[in-house]
Amino acid sequence: MASNGYRNGTGTNKGAIKPLASSNIRSSSFKSRLPPSSNPSTGSALRRTSSASFTTATGGDGVPGRVRVAVRLRPRNAEESTADADFADCVELQPELKRLKLRKNNWESETYEFDEVLTEFASQKRVYEVVAKPVVESVLDGYNGTVMAYGQTGTGKTFTLGRLGEEDTSARGIMVRSMEEILANVSPETDSISVSYLQLYMETIQDLLDPANDNISIVEDPRTGDVSLPGATHVEIKDEQSFLELLRLGEAHRIAANTKLNTESSRSHAILMVHVKRSVLGEEVAIPSESDKSSHFVKPPKPLVRKSKLVLVDLAGSERVQKSGSEGHMLEEAKSINLSLSALGKCINALAENSAHVPIRDSKLTRLLRDSFGGTARTSLIVTIGPSPRHRGETASTILFGQRAMKVENMLRIKEEFDYKSLARRLEIQLDKLIAENERQQKAFDDEVERINLEAQNRVSEVERNFTDALEKERLKCQMEYMESVKKLEEKMIENQRKHLHDGFMKDKCNGEGPGFSEDIAEVKKLLEKETHMRKEAEKEVNKLKSQLGQHMDAGAGGDAEILKLQIALEDEVHQKKKLEEEIIILRSQMLQLTFEADQMRRCLARGGSGNAYPGLDSPMSQVRESLSGNKTPVSALFDQVGVQKILDLLESEDANVRIHAVKVVANLAAEEANQERIVEAGGLTSLLMLLRSYEDETFRRVAAGAIANLAMNEANQELIMVQGGISLLSTTASDAEDPQTLRMVAGAIANLCGNDKLQVTLRSEGGIKALLGMVRCRHPDVLSQVARGIANFAKCESRASTNGIRSGRSLLIDEGALPWIVQNANNDAAPIRRHIELALCHLAQHEANAKDMINGGALWELVRITRDCSREDIRSLARRTLNSSLLFRSEMRRLRIEL
Ligand code: ADP
Ligand code: MG
C-alpha cells in the first residue's frame, strides 16, 4: 500500500504518526494544542506544533509533512475555444518541474511550485493516484484523512471529486475511486464502512441522504476534540453499487434542495464522510513470570477496533460574488458562503504563519474540518483552475490560496520578464551596427579590388615593356649581324672578282686556262657555304629569340595566375558580402515578425477584440476594414524594405530556424490582403505548397497551411491553388496530420476553396470533400467549425448551380456520405458549427434531388427544428420557405402530421 513521496506518513521520529492504538487516535487534535493558555509552559513551541500538525505529521523520509497541494487545469470548453481562440491560456504548466506559470501579460509571468501540477490532459486515474490515494491508504491504516477541492465554479471541482463515470469507468472521480480502494482492502466479516453525505449552505448543514433533516449540529468531544455529526444519516456500505446509488440519491436531493432554496449547487459545500471501522489485533504482550525470571508468560493479543474517517469536500465556488452581480438575499448568501470559505482561508493563513490565533470557530466549515487540521490527519488539497485569460484574477487568487496552504514561506517565485521594447531596440542597434560594418567592409573590399587591379595592370605592363625591349634589342642585334655578314660577303665577292679578273688576265697571258680558276670557284663555294651556315646561325638565333619570346609570354602567364588568385579572393569577398546581406535580411524579417506581433497586439488592444492572424479562417471583414483605413502598417513598411523576394528566398535557407521564421513571416504577411498579390506574384504560393509537400515538422506544416488558408480567401488564388495541385496536397495533409491546429488551418483552406463555383468538381475528384469530412475525427471544435463552414460553402455553390440550371442530380456532399455527420451536428452546442450546418441543410434542401436522401437520413426533422428553434430569424424563414417549396418534403410532413 505504500506510495510515493506524496505520502507523509509512517516515520518514527518525534511528532511523526505512529501506528495507532485506538485510544490515542484523536488525542492530538487542533483544540488540544491551542490556544497557548491551555498549555502555558510551551506556548510558542506548541503553536509551531499546531502548524505542523495541520500539515500532518512527519514524513517517512524525515521531512515534516504538510498539506499536500496539487493544482489541476481544466481544458478549454467550447465557449472558451471560440471566445478565447486568439488568446493564450492565462497559465502555462510545467508538470515535470511541478511548476505553474501565471501570465501577467504578454511579457511577464509569475512562477509557482506545487506538490503536483496536473495538466488538462491528466487522467482521472492519475489525479486520484497523486492526490487521494495516499490519503485513502492512511485512512485504511487508521488515520483521519481529508481531500478538498477548491476553485472557481466551473473549473472542475465536482468533475475531480464527484463524477460517477457510469458510462465510462475511466471518468470516475475521487469519491468513487476512494470507495473502491477502501472496499478492496477491508474484510466484510470484521470491518465496516458507513457513509454520510452532507451539504453546508448558509452555515446550515443539511443531510443529503435525508432531506428533511436540514439542520444538523456539530458535536465536539471536549476531551479529544473529536468532531462528529450524530444527527446525520449513516448508511452502511457493502459494495460499490450501493455506494453509487447513494451518491446518485445525494445528488438528486442536492438538486431538489437547491431548487427549493433557489440557489445553485456551486454555492454550497458538499461533504462526503466515510467512516471506516477495522478490527485489529493488539500486540502480544510478554510478561515475565514471578517464579522463573527466564520463562515468559505471553498474554494473548487484545482485539481492537480502529476507527478512522475520510472526508471529501467539494467546496463552494471561490469566485468573488460581486462579479456575478448578487443582490439582496444573494448578498446574505454570499456572505455566508464567503464566511465559511474565508474562514478556511484565514485558518490556513494563521497556520501557515504560526499565528497565535487560528479562527477555527468562525465557521461551520472550519469546525467540521478541525479533524483535518489535527495531528492525526493527512490532508490533500486540489485547487482547480480554468485556462481562460478572462478569469485571470480568480485563477490568481485560487493559486495563492493553494500556495498559502503549502506554507507561504516555501513559495518559489521566479520572475521572468520579456521586454519587447528593449529587444526591439537591441535588434535595431544590432542592425545598425551590421549595416555600418557591411558598409565598411564593402568600402574596404572595393579599395582592395582597385588596388589589386592596379597592381596587376602595373605588373602586366612592366612584363610587356621588358619583353618588347628585349625583343627589339635582339632584333637590332640580328639585323646588325646580318648586315655585317652581307657586307663581308659583298667585300669577299668584290675581292674574288678582282682576283678572278687578274687571274684571267694572267691565264690569257699564259695559254688562257689553268688550275687557278677552279680554285676560285672552290673558294666561292666555300664562301657560299659559310654564308649558308651563317644564315642558319641567324635563323637559329631568331628561333632562340622566338623561344625567349615564348618564355616571356610564360612570364605573362605567371601574371595571369596572380590575377586568378586575386579573382578567387574577390569571389570570397563577394560570398562574405552575400552572407552579411542575408543576415541583414534575417534580422529585418525578425524585426518584421516582432513588429507584426506588436502591431497585432496594438490592434487587438485598440479593438479590445480579436487579433486573429488567420483571417482566412473567418470573415474577411476585419481585413477589409484594415485596408479601408488606408494606413500603411509598420509591417507593410518593413515588408517594402526587405522585399518579398528576399523573404521567399529565406524559405529555402539551409538553416531550419531561418526557414521556420521565414514561413511565419510569410503567413503573417499573407494575412493582409494588400500583401497577397505580391506574395503570389513572387511565387510565394508555389513555395508554400512546396513546403507543405516536403514538410519536415509539424510547425512548418501548420504555418504553411495557415498561410495557404489566408491566400485561399482570394478567388484568383483559389484557382491557382487548384492548378498547382494544392487540393490533393491539402487532402493528403488532412488525412495524415494529427495536430488540431494544423487540421484547423487545412480545414479552413479547403472551406475557402469550397466557396468557389469553379472548383466543385475538382474538389471532389481530388479528394477534397472526403478529406474535409475525414477531419471530423479530430473532435476539436475549431476544426469542426471549419469543416461545417466548408460544407455550407459547398452546399451553397451547388444550390446556386442547380438554380441556374448548370448542374442537376444529387448533391456531391450526399454522394460522399456527408449527410449523417451533418444531421448529427445540426444541433451542435457550439454556435458557429450549428449555424454553418443549419445553412448547409437549407441549401441542400433547396434542390428536390436531395429530398429523398434527406428524409431518409433524418434531415427533415432537423429542418423542422430549425424552423422552430434557430436563433436567427433569416435562417428560420429560409428553412420554412425551403420546406414549403418542396413537393417531397411537403408530402412527408403531411404524412407525419408536421405543421410548420
Ligand atoms: P465545478 O466543480 O467548479 O462546479 P465542474 O466539475 O462542474 O466544475 O466542471 C465544469 C464543467 O467542466 C463540466 O462540464 C465538466 O464536465 C467540465 N470539466 C471540468 N474539469 C474537466 C476536465 N479535467 N476535463 C474535461 N472536462 C472537465
Ligand atoms: Mg461543482
Side-chain angles (χ1 to χ4, degrees):
M1 237 192 244
S3 58
N4 55 27
Y6 204 79
R7 188 173 178 186
N8 44 13
T10 52
T12 52
N13 37 346
K14 210 170 176 212
I17 303 174
K18 296 203 173 79
L20 296 176
S22 60
S23 61
N24 69 4
I25 290 175
R26 295 169 189 79
S27 63
S28 52
S29 77
F30 202 81
K31 189 182 169 193
S32 67
R33 291 165 184 246
L34 277 177
S37 57
S38 68
N39 195 342
S41 60
T42 52
S44 63
L46 282 178
R47 276 201 305 282
R48 263 198 304 283
T49 317
S50 73
S51 139
S53 51
F54 172 75
T55 62
T56 74
T58 304
D61 52 3
V63 178
R66 53 172 175 74
V67 172
R68 312 294 297 184
V69 183
V71 62
R72 183 182 198 184
L73 175 67
R74 170 177 60 62
R76 282 185 175 210
N77 57 30
E79 193 261 330
E80 286 162 345
S81 299
T82 318
D84 302 336
D86 300 315
F87 295 94
D89 289 354
C90 68
V91 290
E92 185 189 327
L93 304 189
Q94 297 173 315
E96 62 293 346
L97 300 175
K98 301 193 191 274
R99 280 187 189 162
L100 172 151
K101 276 187 179 178
L102 175 66
R103 290 209 173 88
K104 279 171 83 175
N105 51 41
N106 261 356
W107 310 286
E108 283 177 280
S109 60
E110 283 172 346
T111 303
Y112 300 94
E113 276 193 356
F114 284 91
D115 293 306
E116 272 303 331
V117 167
L118 299 158
T119 68
E120 67 267 48
F121 307 112
S123 66
Q124 293 281 76
K125 180 166 188 273
R126 179 164 154 66
V127 172
Y128 170 74
E129 273 169 359
V130 301
V131 175
K133 192 177 164 82
V135 179
V136 173
E137 285 174 351
S138 69
V139 168
L140 284 165
D141 287 343
Y143 308 100
N144 286 346
T146 304
V147 178
M148 288 187 273
Y150 178 96
Q152 192 188 353
T153 298
T155 50
K157 297 182 294 298
T158 310
F159 184 92
T160 302
L161 282 176
R163 280 203 77 177
L164 302 184
E166 285 160 301
E167 331 66 45
D168 174 9
T169 48
S170 71
R172 290 169 309 155
I174 286 176
M175 288 181 177
V176 181
R177 288 174 195 267
S178 303
M179 184 52 79
E180 191 187 40
E181 178 132 27
I182 292 173
L183 284 167
N185 284 284
V186 296
S187 129
E189 294 82 30
T190 54
D191 305 338
S192 79
I193 300 162
S194 70
V195 159
S196 346
Y197 197 12
L198 311 148
Q199 164 166 284
L200 172 57
Y201 175 60
M202 287 188 75
E203 294 302 286
T204 310
I205 300 175
Q206 299 163 298
D207 192 341
L208 287 177
L209 302 179
D210 177 10
N213 192 3
D214 62 3
N215 195 3
I216 298 172
S217 41
I218 302 172
V219 175
E220 289 155 55
D221 183 330
R223 195 174 50 84
T224 61
D226 229 353
V227 181
S228 60
L229 300 168
T233 311
H234 282 60
V235 177
E236 185 98 352
I237 300 293
K238 291 281 178 213
D239 54 43
E240 206 181 332
Q241 210 44 44
S242 61
F243 178 64
L244 282 176
E245 259 147 44
L246 196 119
L247 286 184
R248 247 178 260 133
L249 179 76
E251 192 49 33
H253 286 156
R254 196 174 180 207
I255 291 165
N258 288 322
T259 315
K260 203 165 116 201
L261 292 163
N262 192 21
T263 179
E264 290 164 29
S265 56
S266 66
R267 299 183 178 283
S268 64
H269 312 275
I271 301 152
L272 182 82
M273 289 187 169
V274 182
H275 304 271
V276 180
K277 261 192 227 170
R278 302 188 74 183
S279 295
V280 284
L281 290 178
E283 281 174 19
E284 290 180 346
V285 184
I287 302 168
S289 137
E290 299 263 324
S291 56
D292 176 5
K293 299 221 175 208
S294 62
S295 69
H296 289 82
F297 168 66
V298 179
K299 210 173 157 190
K302 203 162 72 180
L304 298 171
V305 174
R306 197 176 268 180
K307 286 184 189 171
S308 56
K309 181 169 73 174
L310 173 67
V311 185
L312 302 174
V313 192
D314 185 353
L315 290 166
S318 62
E319 57 274 4
R320 273 168 293 132
V321 184
Q322 306 87 287
K323 209 171 174 184
S324 53
S326 303
E327 287 171 23
H329 168 72
M330 297 282 271
L331 263 183
E332 273 313 301
E333 179 202 65
K335 275 190 215 149
S336 296
I337 291 166
N338 281 352
L339 182 74
S340 271
L341 264 191
S342 60
L344 179 64
K346 280 180 198 153
C347 286
I348 285 175
N349 279 352
L351 289 163
E353 289 162 20
N354 285 340
S355 164
H357 175 64
V358 181
I360 203 94
R361 306 209 122 265
D362 281 4
S363 78
K364 288 220 166 130
L365 180 67
T366 44
R367 283 175 62 201
L368 205 62
L369 292 176
R370 72 177 302 160
D371 270 356
S372 313
F373 305 161
T376 58
R378 171 170 304 156
T379 301
S380 274
L381 174 68
I382 179 160
V383 296
T384 57
I385 55 172
S388 169
R390 283 172 295 155
H391 298 302
R392 202 192 151 277
E394 299 295 356
T395 305
S397 84
T398 303
I399 289 169
L400 286 181
F401 183 89
Q403 286 287 308
R404 263 181 247 124
M406 288 180 77
K407 286 200 179 181
V408 182
E409 67 265 27
N410 290 341
M411 186 172 71
L412 250 181
R413 286 182 89 192
I414 300 169
K415 200 166 157 60
E416 287 176 348
E417 287 198 1
F418 178 81
D419 183 350
Y420 160 72
K421 277 189 195 149
S422 73
L423 178 65
R425 260 199 313 277
R426 274 213 312 273
L427 278 172
E428 248 171 84
I429 292 168
Q430 210 177 331
L431 183 65
D432 278 353
K433 270 193 194 152
L434 277 169
I435 290 174
E437 176 65 14
N438 181 33
E439 212 174 292
R440 255 197 311 279
Q441 290 202 5
Q442 175 74 47
K443 176 83 180 39
F445 167 73
D446 288 347
D447 289 355
E448 183 67 10
V449 168
E450 207 166 310
R451 191 187 63 74
I452 290 169
N453 265 338
L454 215 69
E455 201 178 300
Q457 268 172 15
N458 285 344
R459 282 208 202 173
V460 168
S461 44
E462 195 184 312
V463 168
E464 273 175 2
R465 220 173 22 247
N466 289 346
F467 173 67
T468 320
D469 284 357
L471 200 67
E472 187 62 26
K473 264 188 206 154
E474 276 313 305
R475 198 179 60 80
L476 282 175
K477 200 174 137 202
C478 278
Q479 229 169 18
M480 298 267 280
E481 279 174 4
Y482 182 69
M483 277 163 64
E484 241 168 67
S485 357
V486 169
K487 209 167 140 196
K488 269 187 193 158
L489 206 62
E490 274 173 0
E491 276 171 11
K492 266 268 180 328
M493 265 183 64
I494 293 167
E495 175 81 5
N496 280 345
Q497 272 172 359
R498 209 174 43 236
K499 225 174 164 182
H500 184 66
L501 279 175
H502 174 72
D503 287 351
F505 174 72
M506 287 297 285
K507 190 179 150 194
D508 282 349
K509 245 170 56 178
C510 30
N511 300 329
E513 280 180 359
F517 182 71
S518 53
E519 273 169 20
D520 276 351
I521 297 247
E523 180 92 353
V524 169
K525 264 187 183 169
K526 239 191 223 163
L527 269 174
L528 251 173
E529 268 166 20
K530 200 177 161 195
E531 270 322 302
T532 316
H533 179 72
M534 277 176 71
R535 184 80 173 235
K536 274 188 185 152
E537 283 294 300
E539 272 172 13
K540 261 190 201 159
E541 193 64 29
V542 169
N543 281 342
K544 206 169 116 197
L545 279 173
K546 271 188 185 161
S547 82
Q548 270 180 8
L549 179 68
Q551 270 168 19
H552 280 302
M553 296 283 259
D554 282 352
D560 282 352
E562 187 70 20
I563 290 172
L564 213 66
K565 240 161 74 192
L566 291 172
Q567 265 173 355
I568 290 169
L570 193 71
E571 272 166 21
D572 266 2
E573 296 283 344
V574 171
H575 187 65
Q576 285 277 341
K577 186 184 159 207
K578 219 166 126 193
K579 258 171 87 179
L580 273 168
E581 276 173 356
E582 249 176 36
E583 265 176 49
I584 290 174
I585 293 165
I586 294 167
L587 278 164
R588 277 203 169 131
S589 67
Q590 278 176 355
M591 273 275 281
L592 187 65
Q593 175 80 8
L594 279 165
T595 316
F596 182 86
E597 279 162 15
D599 195 31
Q600 287 279 327
M601 190 59 58
R602 186 175 50 73
R603 271 191 252 164
C604 171
L605 288 174
R607 277 204 297 265
S610 146
N612 192 358
Y614 296 102
L617 308 186
D618 286 312
S619 131
M621 278 316 288
S622 57
Q623 201 184 335
V624 173
R625 233 182 292 126
E626 291 293 338
S627 51
L628 283 180
S629 74
N631 289 337
K632 216 170 196 198
T633 60
V635 188
S636 311
L638 261 165
F639 182 34
D640 290 344
Q641 273 179 33
V642 178
V644 65
Q645 195 54 57
K646 291 206 170 141
I647 297 175
L648 291 177
D649 288 348
L650 292 178
L651 289 177
E652 281 154 33
S653 160
E654 280 167 19
D655 182 341
N657 276 337
V658 174
R659 277 202 308 281
I660 188 72
H661 192 75
V663 71
K664 280 185 181 169
V665 171
V666 175
N668 283 332
L669 289 168
E672 302 219 5
E673 199 176 15
N675 303 329
Q676 289 180 355
E677 200 178 328
R678 285 161 69 191
I679 293 175
V680 174
E681 262 175 18
L685 177 60
T686 318
S687 306
L688 288 166
L689 289 169
M690 290 277 285
L691 269 184
L692 203 57
R693 190 173 286 127
S694 61
Y695 104 94
E696 46 198 295
D697 85 19
E698 199 58 47
T699 316
F700 270 106
R701 240 194 342 195
R702 182 170 61 242
V703 182
I708 293 169
N710 281 335
L711 293 177
M713 286 190 307
N714 175 305
E715 203 176 320
N717 294 344
Q718 289 168 353
E719 283 166 40
L720 271 178
I721 290 173
M722 178 189 76
V723 173
Q724 299 191 15
I727 295 179
S728 56
L729 197 57
L730 285 164
S731 306
T732 318
T733 315
S735 66
D736 65 18
E738 274 166 19
D739 171 45
Q741 288 311 318
T742 306
L743 289 173
R744 170 174 162 239
M745 302 302 170
V746 173
I750 299 181
N752 285 340
L753 300 180
C754 281
N756 189 322
D757 295 306
K758 295 181 206 150
L759 305 190
Q760 301 265 293
V761 176
T762 322
L763 264 170
R764 188 203 186 181
S765 64
E766 297 196 0
I769 304 176
K770 274 241 149 46
L772 189 69
L773 293 170
M775 281 184 278
V776 305
R777 69 180 185 279
C778 158
R779 304 238 182 93
H780 198 290
D782 289 350
V783 179
L784 298 187
S785 167
Q786 294 305 329
V787 172
R789 187 166 70 85
I791 290 176
N793 279 348
F794 198 89
K796 186 173 175 184
C797 286
E798 274 192 341
S799 112
R800 201 158 41 211
S802 300
T803 314
N804 295 338
I806 301 170
R807 76 178 301 278
S808 61
R810 204 161 71 149
S811 160
L812 297 181
L813 286 171
I814 297 182
D815 285 351
E816 294 287 300
L819 201 54
W821 187 81
I822 295 178
V823 173
Q824 257 169 38
N825 287 275
N827 200 12
N828 194 298
D829 284 343
I833 302 177
R834 194 171 61 241
R835 198 183 66 225
H836 291 310
I837 294 194
E838 285 172 346
L839 280 169
L841 278 170
C842 291
H843 292 310
L844 287 173
Q846 276 167 11
H847 197 50
E848 197 73 0
N850 299 330
K852 202 164 145 232
D853 290 288
M854 291 184 78
I855 291 169
N856 292 338
L860 173 60
W861 290 109
E862 289 306 327
L863 281 160
V864 172
R865 184 194 57 74
I866 293 169
T867 63
R868 292 174 184 161
D869 296 350
C870 178
S871 58
R872 279 192 29 194
E873 166 62 28
D874 53 340
I875 301 180
R876 276 205 307 276
S877 61
L878 176 63
R880 193 171 304 117
R881 267 202 320 277
T882 310
L883 287 179
N884 280 333
S885 61
S886 154
L887 276 175
L888 275 172
F889 282 136
R890 271 213 313 274
S891 81
E892 181 67 7
M893 284 192 294
R894 260 198 309 281
R895 193 176 73 75
L896 296 169
R897 298 184 206 291
I898 299 173
E899 276 186 29
L900 292 185

